[in-house]
Amino acid sequence: MEFSIINRDNWYRKEYFEHYLQQQTTFSMTNEINITVLMKNLKKKGYKLYPAFIFMVTRIVNSHREFRTCFNSEGNLGYWAEICPCYTIFDNRTHTFSAIWSPNMNNFSEFHFQYEKDVRKYNGTGSLFPKEPIPDNNIPISMIPWSSFKAFNLNINNGGNFLLPIITGGKYSQVNNELFLPVSLQIHHSVCDGYHASVFMNDLQRFANESEDWV
């Protein structure tokens, strides 16, 4: 997958990047996404929420370069031309999970089919990363369907060099006949600001509202 190197000397974010990378500043934003329309459209087709969530997140990340900016394996700063999702699946027998990936697809029905195929093949393996090799151009996505939350934060001790977004969903709740899904976005301040976090959340709500167009 193509990786474009950023020239840090004349990059418009140079000052922000160097400041917040040195400070190792990350932040998270949690929002409740109204999925009432989305759930109705998924139910009509017999589709599941989790792959729809993964699909929407991946589409948003691939629409904004800021969410694809990171260091590659050689330590170069740049951005991937495309990102694929690496998501967790739960093992009911051991109460552990595996992280697997699926290729990025623009057609949801095709992605849903691939998702179910990968889950059937790799669930219950007892391995954290059963599907290898894991592509470098992936983002971590997970869901905690047993509990809702108002905030969520994941701490990574890797020297502050993990720049890609981390997205976590929770258990949806019903309020006045509407369904709301808590979603947490964790990002590195060196490559993304509050504006970009807001863009992500607004895009996610828009995708849910317009789900009839892609489900």
Side-chain angles (χ1 to χ4, degrees), residues 84-130:
C84 70
C86 182
Y87 52 92
T88 57
I89 56 175
F90 187 68
D91 187 335
N92 285 304
R93 183 179 60 85
T94 62
H95 294 173
T96 58
F97 66 90
S98 297
I100 64 174
W101 62 275
S102 294
N104 176 49
M105 298 179 180
N106 292 323
N107 183 283
F108 175 62
S109 63
E110 293 177 0
F111 177 78
H112 196 281
F113 176 82
Q114 183 65 47
Y115 162 87
E116 292 198 313
K117 179 181 177 182
D118 285 333
V119 170
R120 284 194 303 268
K121 183 174 181 179
Y122 295 106
N123 197 13
T125 60
S127 172
L128 179 57
F129 301 108

CSV table of all heavy atoms in Angstrom, one decimal, residues 84-130:
chain,number,residue,atom,x,y,z
A,84,CYS,N,-7.1,0.0,6.2
A,84,CYS,CA,-8.0,-1.1,6.4
A,84,CYS,C,-8.3,-1.3,7.9
A,84,CYS,O,-7.5,-0.9,8.8
A,84,CYS,CB,-7.5,-2.4,5.8
A,84,CYS,SG,-6.1,-3.1,6.7
A,85,PRO,N,-9.4,-1.8,8.3
A,85,PRO,CA,-9.8,-2.0,9.7
A,85,PRO,C,-9.2,-3.2,10.3
A,85,PRO,O,-9.2,-4.3,9.7
A,85,PRO,CB,-11.3,-2.1,9.7
A,85,PRO,CG,-11.6,-2.7,8.3
A,85,PRO,CD,-10.6,-2.2,7.4
A,86,CYS,N,-8.7,-3.0,11.5
A,86,CYS,CA,-8.2,-4.1,12.4
A,86,CYS,C,-9.1,-4.1,13.6
A,86,CYS,O,-9.1,-3.2,14.4
A,86,CYS,CB,-6.8,-4.0,12.8
A,86,CYS,SG,-6.1,-5.4,13.8
A,87,TYR,N,-10.0,-5.1,13.8
A,87,TYR,CA,-11.1,-5.0,14.8
A,87,TYR,C,-11.0,-6.3,15.7
A,87,TYR,O,-10.6,-7.3,15.3
A,87,TYR,CB,-12.4,-4.9,14.1
A,87,TYR,CG,-12.7,-5.9,13.0
A,87,TYR,CD1,-13.3,-7.1,13.3
A,87,TYR,CD2,-12.3,-5.7,11.7
A,87,TYR,CE1,-13.6,-8.0,12.3
A,87,TYR,CE2,-12.5,-6.6,10.7
A,87,TYR,CZ,-13.2,-7.8,11.0
A,87,TYR,OH,-13.4,-8.8,10.1
A,88,THR,N,-11.6,-6.1,16.9
A,88,THR,CA,-11.6,-7.2,17.8
A,88,THR,C,-12.9,-8.0,17.7
A,88,THR,O,-13.9,-7.5,17.4
A,88,THR,CB,-11.5,-6.6,19.3
A,88,THR,OG1,-12.6,-5.7,19.5
A,88,THR,CG2,-10.2,-5.9,19.5
A,89,ILE,N,-12.7,-9.3,17.9
A,89,ILE,CA,-13.9,-10.2,18.0
A,89,ILE,C,-13.8,-11.0,19.3
A,89,ILE,O,-12.7,-11.4,19.7
A,89,ILE,CB,-13.9,-11.2,16.8
A,89,ILE,CG1,-12.6,-12.0,16.6
A,89,ILE,CG2,-14.2,-10.4,15.5
A,89,ILE,CD1,-12.6,-13.0,15.5
A,90,PHE,N,-14.9,-11.3,19.9
A,90,PHE,CA,-15.0,-11.9,21.2
A,90,PHE,C,-15.1,-13.4,21.2
A,90,PHE,O,-15.8,-14.0,20.4
A,90,PHE,CB,-16.1,-11.3,22.0
A,90,PHE,CG,-16.2,-11.7,23.4
A,90,PHE,CD1,-15.2,-11.2,24.3
A,90,PHE,CD2,-17.2,-12.5,23.9
A,90,PHE,CE1,-15.3,-11.6,25.7
A,90,PHE,CE2,-17.3,-12.8,25.3
A,90,PHE,CZ,-16.3,-12.4,26.1
A,91,ASP,N,-14.4,-14.1,22.1
A,91,ASP,CA,-14.4,-15.5,22.2
A,91,ASP,C,-15.3,-15.8,23.4
A,91,ASP,O,-14.9,-15.6,24.6
A,91,ASP,CB,-13.0,-16.1,22.4
A,91,ASP,CG,-13.0,-17.6,22.4
A,91,ASP,OD1,-14.1,-18.2,22.8
A,91,ASP,OD2,-12.0,-18.2,22.1
A,92,ASN,N,-16.5,-16.3,23.2
A,92,ASN,CA,-17.5,-16.6,24.3
A,92,ASN,C,-17.0,-17.7,25.3
A,92,ASN,O,-17.4,-17.7,26.4
A,92,ASN,CB,-18.8,-16.9,23.7
A,92,ASN,CG,-19.6,-15.7,23.2
A,92,ASN,OD1,-19.8,-14.8,23.9
A,92,ASN,ND2,-20.0,-15.8,21.9
A,93,ARG,N,-16.1,-18.6,24.8
A,93,ARG,CA,-15.7,-19.7,25.6
A,93,ARG,C,-14.7,-19.2,26.6
A,93,ARG,O,-14.7,-19.5,27.8
A,93,ARG,CB,-15.1,-20.8,24.7
A,93,ARG,CG,-14.6,-22.0,25.5
A,93,ARG,CD,-14.1,-23.1,24.6
A,93,ARG,NE,-13.0,-22.6,23.8
A,93,ARG,CZ,-11.7,-22.6,24.3
A,93,ARG,NH1,-11.5,-23.1,25.5
A,93,ARG,NH2,-10.7,-22.2,23.6
A,94,THR,N,-13.7,-18.4,26.2
A,94,THR,CA,-12.6,-18.0,27.1
A,94,THR,C,-12.8,-16.6,27.6
A,94,THR,O,-12.0,-16.2,28.5
A,94,THR,CB,-11.3,-18.1,26.4
A,94,THR,OG1,-11.3,-17.2,25.3
A,94,THR,CG2,-11.0,-19.5,25.9
A,95,HIS,N,-13.7,-15.8,27.1
A,95,HIS,CA,-13.9,-14.4,27.4
A,95,HIS,C,-12.7,-13.6,27.1
A,95,HIS,O,-12.4,-12.6,27.8
A,95,HIS,CB,-14.3,-14.3,28.9
A,95,HIS,CG,-15.7,-14.9,29.2
A,95,HIS,ND1,-16.2,-15.0,30.5
A,95,HIS,CD2,-16.6,-15.4,28.4
A,95,HIS,CE1,-17.4,-15.5,30.5
A,95,HIS,NE2,-17.7,-15.8,29.2
A,96,THR,N,-12.0,-14.0,26.1
A,96,THR,CA,-10.9,-13.2,25.6
A,96,THR,C,-11.3,-12.7,24.2
A,96,THR,O,-12.4,-13.0,23.7
A,96,THR,CB,-9.6,-14.0,25.5
A,96,THR,OG1,-9.8,-15.2,24.7
A,96,THR,CG2,-9.1,-14.5,26.9
A,97,PHE,N,-10.4,-12.1,23.5
A,97,PHE,CA,-10.7,-11.6,22.1
A,97,PHE,C,-9.5,-11.8,21.2
A,97,PHE,O,-8.4,-12.0,21.6
A,97,PHE,CB,-11.1,-10.1,22.2
A,97,PHE,CG,-9.9,-9.2,22.6
A,97,PHE,CD1,-9.1,-8.6,21.6
A,97,PHE,CD2,-9.7,-8.9,23.9
A,97,PHE,CE1,-8.1,-7.8,22.0
A,97,PHE,CE2,-8.7,-8.0,24.3
A,97,PHE,CZ,-7.9,-7.5,23.3
A,98,SER,N,-9.8,-11.7,19.9
A,98,SER,CA,-8.8,-11.7,18.9
A,98,SER,C,-8.9,-10.4,18.1
A,98,SER,O,-10.0,-9.9,17.9
A,98,SER,CB,-8.9,-12.9,18.0
A,98,SER,OG,-8.7,-14.1,18.7
A,99,ALA,N,-7.8,-9.9,17.5
A,99,ALA,CA,-7.8,-8.8,16.7
A,99,ALA,C,-7.6,-9.3,15.2
A,99,ALA,O,-6.5,-9.8,15.0
A,99,ALA,CB,-6.8,-7.7,17.1
A,100,ILE,N,-8.5,-9.1,14.4
A,100,ILE,CA,-8.4,-9.5,13.0
A,100,ILE,C,-8.6,-8.3,12.1
A,100,ILE,O,-9.1,-7.3,12.5
A,100,ILE,CB,-9.3,-10.7,12.6
A,100,ILE,CG1,-10.8,-10.2,12.7
A,100,ILE,CG2,-9.1,-11.9,13.5
A,100,ILE,CD1,-11.8,-11.2,12.2
A,101,TRP,N,-8.2,-8.5,10.8
A,101,TRP,CA,-8.4,-7.4,9.9
A,101,TRP,C,-9.1,-7.9,8.6
A,101,TRP,O,-9.1,-9.1,8.3
A,101,TRP,CB,-7.0,-6.8,9.5
A,101,TRP,CG,-6.1,-7.8,8.8
A,101,TRP,CD1,-5.3,-8.7,9.4
A,101,TRP,CD2,-6.0,-8.0,7.4
A,101,TRP,NE1,-4.6,-9.4,8.4
A,101,TRP,CE2,-5.0,-9.0,7.2
A,101,TRP,CE3,-6.6,-7.4,6.2
A,101,TRP,CZ2,-4.7,-9.5,5.9
A,101,TRP,CZ3,-6.2,-7.8,5.0
A,101,TRP,CH2,-5.3,-8.9,4.8
A,102,SER,N,-9.8,-7.0,8.0
A,102,SER,CA,-10.4,-7.3,6.7
A,102,SER,C,-10.0,-6.2,5.7
A,102,SER,O,-9.8,-5.1,6.1
A,102,SER,CB,-12.0,-7.3,6.9
A,102,SER,OG,-12.4,-8.4,7.7
A,103,PRO,N,-10.0,-6.5,4.4
A,103,PRO,CA,-9.7,-5.5,3.5
A,103,PRO,C,-10.7,-4.4,3.4
A,103,PRO,O,-11.9,-4.6,3.7
A,103,PRO,CB,-9.6,-6.2,2.1
A,103,PRO,CG,-10.4,-7.5,2.4
A,103,PRO,CD,-10.3,-7.8,3.8
A,104,ASN,N,-10.2,-3.2,3.1
A,104,ASN,CA,-11.2,-2.1,2.9
A,104,ASN,C,-12.0,-2.3,1.7
A,104,ASN,O,-11.5,-2.7,0.6
A,104,ASN,CB,-10.4,-0.8,2.8
A,104,ASN,CG,-11.3,0.4,2.5
A,104,ASN,OD1,-12.3,0.6,3.2
A,104,ASN,ND2,-10.9,1.2,1.5
A,105,MET,N,-13.3,-2.0,1.8
A,105,MET,CA,-14.2,-2.2,0.7
A,105,MET,C,-15.2,-1.0,0.7
A,105,MET,O,-15.6,-0.5,1.8
A,105,MET,CB,-15.0,-3.5,0.8
A,105,MET,CG,-14.2,-4.7,0.7
A,105,MET,SD,-15.1,-6.2,0.8
A,105,MET,CE,-13.9,-7.5,0.7
A,106,ASN,N,-15.6,-0.6,-0.5
A,106,ASN,CA,-16.6,0.6,-0.6
A,106,ASN,C,-18.0,0.1,-0.6
A,106,ASN,O,-18.9,0.9,-0.5
A,106,ASN,CB,-16.2,1.4,-1.8
A,106,ASN,CG,-14.9,2.1,-1.7
A,106,ASN,OD1,-14.6,2.6,-0.6
A,106,ASN,ND2,-14.2,2.3,-2.8
A,107,ASN,N,-18.2,-1.2,-0.8
A,107,ASN,CA,-19.6,-1.8,-0.9
A,107,ASN,C,-19.8,-2.5,0.4
A,107,ASN,O,-19.1,-3.4,0.8
A,107,ASN,CB,-19.7,-2.7,-2.0
A,107,ASN,CG,-21.1,-3.3,-2.2
A,107,ASN,OD1,-21.5,-4.2,-1.4
A,107,ASN,ND2,-21.9,-2.8,-3.1
A,108,PHE,N,-20.9,-2.0,1.2
A,108,PHE,CA,-21.1,-2.6,2.5
A,108,PHE,C,-21.5,-4.0,2.5
A,108,PHE,O,-21.1,-4.8,3.3
A,108,PHE,CB,-22.2,-1.8,3.2
A,108,PHE,CG,-22.6,-2.4,4.6
A,108,PHE,CD1,-21.6,-2.5,5.6
A,108,PHE,CD2,-23.9,-2.8,4.8
A,108,PHE,CE1,-22.0,-3.0,6.8
A,108,PHE,CE2,-24.2,-3.4,6.0
A,108,PHE,CZ,-23.3,-3.5,7.0
A,109,SER,N,-22.4,-4.5,1.5
A,109,SER,CA,-22.8,-5.9,1.5
A,109,SER,C,-21.6,-6.8,1.3
A,109,SER,O,-21.5,-7.9,1.9
A,109,SER,CB,-23.8,-6.1,0.4
A,109,SER,OG,-23.3,-5.8,-0.9
A,110,GLU,N,-20.6,-6.3,0.5
A,110,GLU,CA,-19.4,-7.1,0.2
A,110,GLU,C,-18.5,-7.2,1.5
A,110,GLU,O,-18.0,-8.2,1.9
A,110,GLU,CB,-18.6,-6.6,-0.9
A,110,GLU,CG,-19.3,-6.7,-2.3
A,110,GLU,CD,-18.6,-6.1,-3.4
A,110,GLU,OE1,-17.5,-5.5,-3.1
A,110,GLU,OE2,-19.0,-6.1,-4.5
A,111,PHE,N,-18.5,-6.0,2.2
A,111,PHE,CA,-17.7,-6.0,3.4
A,111,PHE,C,-18.3,-6.9,4.5
A,111,PHE,O,-17.6,-7.6,5.2
A,111,PHE,CB,-17.5,-4.6,3.9
A,111,PHE,CG,-16.8,-4.5,5.3
A,111,PHE,CD1,-15.4,-4.6,5.3
A,111,PHE,CD2,-17.5,-4.4,6.4
A,111,PHE,CE1,-14.8,-4.6,6.5
A,111,PHE,CE2,-16.8,-4.3,7.7
A,111,PHE,CZ,-15.5,-4.4,7.7
A,112,HIS,N,-19.7,-6.8,4.6
A,112,HIS,CA,-20.4,-7.6,5.6
A,112,HIS,C,-20.1,-9.1,5.4
A,112,HIS,O,-19.9,-9.8,6.3
A,112,HIS,CB,-21.9,-7.3,5.6
A,112,HIS,CG,-22.6,-7.8,6.7
A,112,HIS,ND1,-23.0,-9.1,6.9
A,112,HIS,CD2,-23.1,-7.1,7.8
A,112,HIS,CE1,-23.7,-9.2,8.0
A,112,HIS,NE2,-23.7,-8.0,8.6
A,113,PHE,N,-20.1,-9.5,4.1
A,113,PHE,CA,-19.8,-10.9,3.8
A,113,PHE,C,-18.4,-11.3,4.2
A,113,PHE,O,-18.2,-12.3,4.8
A,113,PHE,CB,-20.0,-11.1,2.3
A,113,PHE,CG,-19.7,-12.5,1.8
A,113,PHE,CD1,-20.6,-13.5,1.9
A,113,PHE,CD2,-18.5,-12.7,1.2
A,113,PHE,CE1,-20.3,-14.8,1.5
A,113,PHE,CE2,-18.1,-14.0,0.8
A,113,PHE,CZ,-19.0,-15.1,0.9
A,114,GLN,N,-17.4,-10.4,3.9
A,114,GLN,CA,-16.1,-10.7,4.2
A,114,GLN,C,-15.9,-10.7,5.7
A,114,GLN,O,-15.1,-11.5,6.3
A,114,GLN,CB,-15.1,-9.6,3.6
A,114,GLN,CG,-13.7,-9.9,3.8
A,114,GLN,CD,-13.2,-11.1,3.2
A,114,GLN,OE1,-13.5,-11.4,2.0
A,114,GLN,NE2,-12.4,-11.9,3.9
A,115,TYR,N,-16.5,-9.8,6.4
A,115,TYR,CA,-16.5,-9.7,7.9
A,115,TYR,C,-16.9,-11.1,8.5
A,115,TYR,O,-16.2,-11.6,9.3
A,115,TYR,CB,-17.3,-8.6,8.4
A,115,TYR,CG,-17.7,-8.7,9.9
A,115,TYR,CD1,-16.9,-8.2,10.9
A,115,TYR,CD2,-18.9,-9.3,10.3
A,115,TYR,CE1,-17.2,-8.3,12.2
A,115,TYR,CE2,-19.3,-9.3,11.6
A,115,TYR,CZ,-18.4,-8.9,12.6
A,115,TYR,OH,-18.7,-8.9,13.9
A,116,GLU,N,-18.1,-11.5,8.1
A,116,GLU,CA,-18.6,-12.8,8.6
A,116,GLU,C,-17.7,-14.0,8.3
A,116,GLU,O,-17.5,-14.9,9.1
A,116,GLU,CB,-20.0,-13.0,8.1
A,116,GLU,CG,-21.0,-12.0,8.7
A,116,GLU,CD,-22.5,-12.5,8.5
A,116,GLU,OE1,-22.8,-13.0,7.4
A,116,GLU,OE2,-23.2,-12.4,9.5
A,117,LYS,N,-17.1,-13.9,7.1
A,117,LYS,CA,-16.2,-15.0,6.7
A,117,LYS,C,-15.0,-15.0,7.6
A,117,LYS,O,-14.5,-16.1,8.1
A,117,LYS,CB,-15.8,-14.8,5.2
A,117,LYS,CG,-14.8,-15.8,4.7
A,117,LYS,CD,-14.5,-15.5,3.2
A,117,LYS,CE,-13.5,-16.5,2.7
A,117,LYS,NZ,-13.1,-16.1,1.3
A,118,ASP,N,-14.4,-13.8,7.9
A,118,ASP,CA,-13.2,-13.7,8.7
A,118,ASP,C,-13.5,-14.1,10.1
A,118,ASP,O,-12.7,-14.8,10.8
A,118,ASP,CB,-12.6,-12.3,8.6
A,118,ASP,CG,-11.9,-12.0,7.3
A,118,ASP,OD1,-11.4,-13.0,6.7
A,118,ASP,OD2,-11.9,-10.9,6.9
A,119,VAL,N,-14.7,-13.7,10.6
A,119,VAL,CA,-15.1,-14.0,12.0
A,119,VAL,C,-15.2,-15.5,12.2
A,119,VAL,O,-14.7,-16.1,13.2
A,119,VAL,CB,-16.4,-13.3,12.4
A,119,VAL,CG1,-16.9,-13.8,13.8
A,119,VAL,CG2,-16.1,-11.8,12.5
A,120,ARG,N,-15.9,-16.2,11.2
A,120,ARG,CA,-16.1,-17.6,11.3
A,120,ARG,C,-14.7,-18.4,11.3
A,120,ARG,O,-14.5,-19.3,12.0
A,120,ARG,CB,-16.9,-18.1,10.1
A,120,ARG,CG,-18.4,-17.9,10.3
A,120,ARG,CD,-19.2,-18.6,9.2
A,120,ARG,NE,-18.8,-18.4,7.9
A,120,ARG,CZ,-19.3,-17.4,7.1
A,120,ARG,NH1,-20.3,-16.7,7.6
A,120,ARG,NH2,-18.9,-17.2,5.9
A,121,LYS,N,-13.8,-17.9,10.5
A,121,LYS,CA,-12.5,-18.5,10.4
A,121,LYS,C,-11.6,-18.3,11.5
A,121,LYS,O,-10.9,-19.3,12.0
A,121,LYS,CB,-11.8,-18.0,9.1
A,121,LYS,CG,-10.5,-18.7,8.8
A,121,LYS,CD,-9.9,-18.3,7.5
A,121,LYS,CE,-8.6,-19.0,7.2
A,121,LYS,NZ,-8.0,-18.6,5.8
A,122,TYR,N,-11.6,-17.1,12.1
A,122,TYR,CA,-10.6,-16.8,13.1
A,122,TYR,C,-11.1,-16.7,14.6
A,122,TYR,O,-10.3,-16.6,15.5
A,122,TYR,CB,-9.9,-15.5,12.8
A,122,TYR,CG,-9.1,-15.6,11.5
A,122,TYR,CD1,-9.6,-15.0,10.3
A,122,TYR,CD2,-7.9,-16.3,11.4
A,122,TYR,CE1,-8.9,-15.1,9.1
A,122,TYR,CE2,-7.2,-16.4,10.2
A,122,TYR,CZ,-7.7,-15.8,9.1
A,122,TYR,OH,-7.0,-15.9,7.9
A,123,ASN,N,-12.4,-16.8,14.8
A,123,ASN,CA,-12.9,-16.7,16.2
A,123,ASN,C,-12.6,-18.0,16.9
A,123,ASN,O,-12.7,-19.1,16.3
A,123,ASN,CB,-14.4,-16.4,16.2
A,123,ASN,CG,-14.8,-16.0,17.5
A,123,ASN,OD1,-14.0,-15.7,18.4
A,123,ASN,ND2,-16.1,-16.0,17.8
A,124,GLY,N,-12.2,-17.9,18.2
A,124,GLY,CA,-12.0,-19.1,19.0
A,124,GLY,C,-10.6,-19.8,18.8
A,124,GLY,O,-10.4,-20.9,19.2
A,125,THR,N,-9.7,-19.0,18.1
A,125,THR,CA,-8.4,-19.6,17.9
A,125,THR,C,-7.5,-19.5,19.1
A,125,THR,O,-6.5,-20.2,19.2
A,125,THR,CB,-7.7,-18.8,16.8
A,125,THR,OG1,-7.5,-17.5,17.1
A,125,THR,CG2,-8.5,-18.9,15.5
A,126,GLY,N,-7.8,-18.7,20.1
A,126,GLY,CA,-7.0,-18.6,21.3
A,126,GLY,C,-5.8,-17.7,21.0
A,126,GLY,O,-4.9,-17.6,21.9
A,127,SER,N,-5.8,-17.0,19.9
A,127,SER,CA,-4.6,-16.2,19.5
A,127,SER,C,-5.1,-14.7,19.5
A,127,SER,O,-6.2,-14.4,19.1
A,127,SER,CB,-4.1,-16.6,18.2
A,127,SER,OG,-3.1,-15.7,17.7
A,128,LEU,N,-4.2,-13.8,19.9
A,128,LEU,CA,-4.5,-12.4,19.9
A,128,LEU,C,-4.5,-11.9,18.4
A,128,LEU,O,-5.4,-11.1,18.1
A,128,LEU,CB,-3.5,-11.6,20.7
A,128,LEU,CG,-3.6,-10.1,20.7
A,128,LEU,CD1,-5.0,-9.7,21.3
A,128,LEU,CD2,-2.5,-9.5,21.6
A,129,PHE,N,-3.6,-12.3,17.6
A,129,PHE,CA,-3.6,-11.9,16.2
A,129,PHE,C,-3.5,-13.1,15.3
A,129,PHE,O,-2.4,-13.5,14.8
A,129,PHE,CB,-2.3,-11.0,16.0
A,129,PHE,CG,-2.3,-9.8,16.8
A,129,PHE,CD1,-1.4,-9.7,17.9
A,129,PHE,CD2,-3.1,-8.7,16.6
A,129,PHE,CE1,-1.3,-8.5,18.6
A,129,PHE,CE2,-3.1,-7.6,17.3
A,129,PHE,CZ,-2.2,-7.5,18.4
A,130,PRO,N,-4.7,-13.8,15.1
A,130,PRO,CA,-4.6,-15.0,14.3
A,130,PRO,C,-4.5,-14.9,12.8
A,130,PRO,O,-4.1,-15.8,12.1
A,130,PRO,CB,-6.0,-15.7,14.7
A,130,PRO,CG,-6.9,-14.5,15.0
A,130,PRO,CD,-6.0,-13.5,15.6
